[in-house]
Amino acid sequence: MGKIIPVILCGGSGTRLWPLSRESFPKQYLSLNSVNNISFLQATLKRLCKLKANKPIIICNEEHRFITAEQLREIKIEPSSIILEPCARNTAPAITIAALKSLELEKDPILLILPSDHVIKNEQNFFQTINEARKYALKNKIITFGVIPRSPETGYGYIKVKENTEGGKLSHCQIENFIEKPNKYVAKKLIKDKSYFWNSGIFMFKASTIIQEIEKFYPALIKHCKESLENKNNDFDFERLDRISFEKTLSISFDKAIMEKTSEGIVFPIDSGWSDIGSWQALWDESIKDEEGNILIGDSISRFSKNSLISSQSRLTIALGVKDMIIVETHDAVLVANKNDSEKVKQIVEDLKHKNRIEGEESKKIYRPWGNYHVLFEDFGYKIKTINVNPHSSLSLQIHNKRTEHWIIVNGIAKALIGQKELTLVENESCFVPMKTKHRLSNPGDQNLKIIEIQTGSYLGEDDIVRFDDNYGRKTY
């Protein structure tokens, strides 16, 4: 039947789910399911375990490599490759890279291209459609999957097909054309016509088929993608594409580059409870609600409220007497919006960027190869963090020229090298790191290490680090 290699696309910033989703910690890494507490990416990977397929290829931005690796480690998934894009270039270059890479792993495999942030409720129907579509992939067809519309969505693109039934049963269809995300008026007209589907962004084809089509329409794209792979750097568990070559690739979507041009494209309808959870409204639509139609996430309470979503990340949040509202609280921002306006959140993020507000892009929790840190509070002259170090991991040997640090152990065992002194610290013990002193924090134990770090000094930026030794290949002096 042809071996399937799943390709997980981990790009995108998911700005419509701000303030939880940000460029530094985008939507695919969020866990918004109170039942199983796994992220969208983790749910996508666990779903693939039920499909008889090879290890997946994962493509993500180099800035998110540590988040990706950590989330794979948490669910014990081993990919065939994690490929790092040095810059954003849309889906066509990413898929081209995956096709070229797959030929290093198998002889002309079938690729199943999956965004990392979708919800699929009926997995059995989804797998049945995939297995049926595989037969056509072997016949050199390029398959996209169209979702049977349930409402006039303005956050999705649409696909118009020439026919959508075969003997009364949903089957593959010929593509007539693609429609960009419509306004509400147009969307209401489209869903009345059974020849229109939502564009899921899921594709399937043989590696050789898609490479042939890309060479036909965009030969330069193949050329630069090959160069970026040939000149890549292996960075521990990652394959870092060559920046110079990859920056030359055309930034274009796979739909525009291939699907709108190829004569081999077909649509397979899927009826599997699909959603890309592209907005707070969509999350409300797809989630389990209480008797009053509310969704409560985190430490949140509702009283005399209806049909609302209340999410709290850092403190008790109470909604009293509200209706059709989105209330999202984080450590550094609070969103209060009418549910019907949730699509406009993206505009708010753009406004924040124009005003140089860091809240528009950065999250307070930052991932590193050794674990993560979370800024609890900062003001002029001091900053307070929690630092979590994975078992048997170490921060770099480093100095800071403009700050001191005070470490307090919360959980676990810490090994601290400060100047010429080496200390072993346990819960409730602490140590002090003077300015311009070489130091290193390590976790020698089998459990996570958690510490509180208090920084003081004239400058507390993350770029005040001079590394002398690093286990993860970062620049040293």
Side-chain angles (χ1 to χ4, degrees):
M1 290 294 291
K3 291 188 176 181
I4 292 180
I5 296 181
V7 177
I8 313 299
L9 304 180
C10 275
S13 56
T15 53
R16 288 179 294 169
L17 286 180
W18 184 90
L20 283 186
S21 177
R22 311 196 192 183
E23 285 189 13
S24 67
F25 195 84
K27 163 189 159 187
Q28 55 268 29
Y29 303 108
L30 291 176
S31 173
L32 296 176
N33 188 325
S34 59
V35 177
N36 55 30
N37 197 35
I38 62 174
S39 71
F40 289 107
L41 170 61
Q42 290 172 325
T44 300
L45 291 165
K46 288 175 76 70
R47 186 182 306 125
L48 289 173
C49 294
K50 303 171 188 176
L51 183 69
K52 292 182 179 179
N54 287 28
K55 293 178 181 179
I57 295 172
I58 297 175
I59 300 182
C60 69
N61 188 288
E62 66 178 6
E63 297 298 322
H64 302 142
R65 62 195 185 278
F66 303 134
I67 311 173
T68 302
E70 175 65 16
Q71 293 207 349
L72 265 65
R73 186 188 66 82
E74 287 176 356
I75 59 173
K76 297 178 172 60
I77 295 288
E78 183 182 347
S80 62
S81 179
I82 302 177
I83 298 175
L84 305 182
E85 293 181 311
C87 57
R89 280 296 183 267
N90 217 315
T91 50
I95 291 172
T96 304
I97 289 287
L100 294 169
K101 177 63 183 179
S102 72
L103 294 177
E104 299 177 14
L105 306 173
E106 293 287 348
K107 183 180 180 181
D108 201 11
I110 294 173
L111 304 183
L112 175 61
I113 310 296
L114 295 164
S116 56
D117 55 0
H118 290 182
V119 169
I120 294 176
K121 293 182 177 179
N122 191 329
E123 294 181 351
Q124 183 176 355
N125 280 5
F126 179 68
F127 294 146
Q128 287 176 349
T129 306
I130 293 298
N131 286 324
E132 182 66 21
R134 175 165 27 183
K135 302 172 187 176
Y136 291 85
L138 289 170
K139 297 176 183 177
N140 299 318
K141 293 298 180 183
I142 300 173
I143 300 148
T144 185
F145 295 87
V147 179
I148 300 169
R150 303 186 296 273
S151 59
E153 291 294 330
T154 60
Y156 303 150
Y158 288 69
I159 307 171
K160 190 178 192 309
V161 298
K162 295 178 180 177
E163 55 182 28
N164 70 339
T165 59
E166 189 176 272
K169 181 182 178 182
L170 286 173
S171 182
H172 68 282
C173 329
Q174 296 299 314
I175 298 170
E176 186 166 315
N177 64 287
F178 289 81
I179 294 92
E180 295 291 337
K181 296 174 182 178
N183 59 36
K184 200 74 170 181
Y185 174 77
V186 173
K188 286 179 178 179
K189 291 179 63 177
L190 296 182
I191 67 166
K192 293 178 182 178
D193 187 336
K194 294 187 180 297
S195 62
Y196 285 93
F197 295 88
W198 289 338
N199 188 347
S200 71
I202 302 172
F203 307 98
M204 178 182 269
F205 37 71
K206 285 199 308 186
S208 62
T209 302
I210 202 61
I211 289 173
Q212 181 178 327
E213 291 296 280
I214 296 169
E215 284 181 332
K216 182 192 300 183
F217 298 115
Y218 292 97
L221 182 57
I222 287 283
K223 175 179 180 292
H224 297 312
C225 285
K226 280 183 176 178
E227 288 174 354
S228 66
L229 266 176
E230 289 169 355
N231 298 322
K232 72 179 188 297
N233 291 315
N234 291 322
D235 183 1
F236 289 87
D237 296 330
F238 310 109
E239 294 183 73
R240 190 186 295 270
L241 297 174
D242 177 65
R243 176 178 289 274
I244 294 174
S245 300
F246 194 73
E247 284 180 341
K248 294 177 183 177
T249 62
L250 180 66
S251 180
I252 187 171
S253 72
F254 186 73
D255 280 336
K256 286 190 175 296
I258 302 300
M259 298 308 299
E260 293 182 8
K261 295 179 174 64
T262 183
S263 59
E264 301 300 329
I266 59 175
V267 175
F268 259 82
I270 53 173
D271 187 11
S272 56
W274 173 93
S275 173
D276 80 342
I277 310 294
S279 67
W280 289 113
Q281 170 77 61
L283 180 63
W284 183 86
D285 288 339
E286 299 296 330
S287 300
I288 298 172
K289 306 165 188 67
D290 64 18
E291 294 179 355
E292 299 299 323
N294 297 312
I295 298 168
L296 305 177
I297 301 172
D299 193 8
S300 56
I301 296 173
S302 70
R303 290 291 183 268
F304 310 110
S305 299
K306 292 184 177 181
N307 302 328
S308 296
L309 184 151
I310 303 100
S311 172
S312 177
Q313 201 176 48
S314 67
R315 72 203 78 188
L316 174 63
T317 302
I318 300 175
L320 176 62
V322 303
K323 182 179 179 181
D324 297 322
M325 295 296 289
I326 301 295
I327 302 171
V328 183
E329 180 276 338
T330 68
H331 292 84
D332 61 345
V334 178
L335 170 70
V336 180
N338 187 285
K339 198 167 58 181
N340 294 328
D341 291 325
S342 65
E343 287 283 347
K344 299 175 183 176
V345 171
K346 187 174 183 179
Q347 299 172 18
I348 299 297
V349 176
E350 291 300 316
D351 289 343
L352 291 172
K353 289 181 182 178
H354 290 148
K355 293 176 180 178
N356 295 318
R357 293 295 302 253
I358 195 171
E359 295 91 344
E361 300 181 70
E362 289 192 12
S363 170
K364 290 290 186 179
K365 189 173 184 178
I366 305 296
Y367 282 80
R368 292 291 184 255
W370 42 260
N372 61 75
Y373 68 84
H374 186 177
V375 178
L376 298 177
F377 188 81
E378 60 182 306
D379 205 340
F380 181 76
Y382 72 100
K383 181 187 291 187
I384 303 173
K385 292 180 178 180
T386 59
I387 296 179
N388 293 281
V389 186
N390 296 329
H392 307 290
S393 298
S394 297
L395 283 67
S396 60
L397 178 65
Q398 58 188 245
I399 65 169
H400 308 296
N401 289 312
K402 298 181 180 180
R403 71 173 187 246
T404 66
E405 294 176 342
H406 189 171
W407 297 340
I408 305 166
I409 313 305
V410 179
N411 290 308
I413 301 172
K415 183 179 177 182
L417 177 63
I418 304 171
Q420 300 300 315
K421 291 184 179 180
E422 190 169 306
L423 307 172
T424 299
L425 305 169
V426 296
E427 185 176 332
N428 291 326
E429 295 184 331
S430 64
C431 63
F432 177 72
V433 182
M435 192 182 301
K436 298 183 179 180
T437 301
K438 283 188 180 181
H439 61 279
R440 179 175 232 156
L441 176 67
S442 303
N443 179 1
D446 296 325
Q447 305 298 320
N448 283 346
L449 166 65
K450 182 175 183 178
I451 75 166
I452 299 291
E453 178 180 271
I454 302 172
Q455 301 177 1
T456 59
S458 60
Y459 179 73
L460 305 174
E462 291 303 318
D463 55 348
D464 180 24
I465 297 177
V466 179
R467 293 189 178 93
F468 297 94
D469 181 61
D470 185 66
N471 296 339
Y472 311 103
R474 292 174 294 180
K475 184 178 178 181
T476 58
Y477 293 90

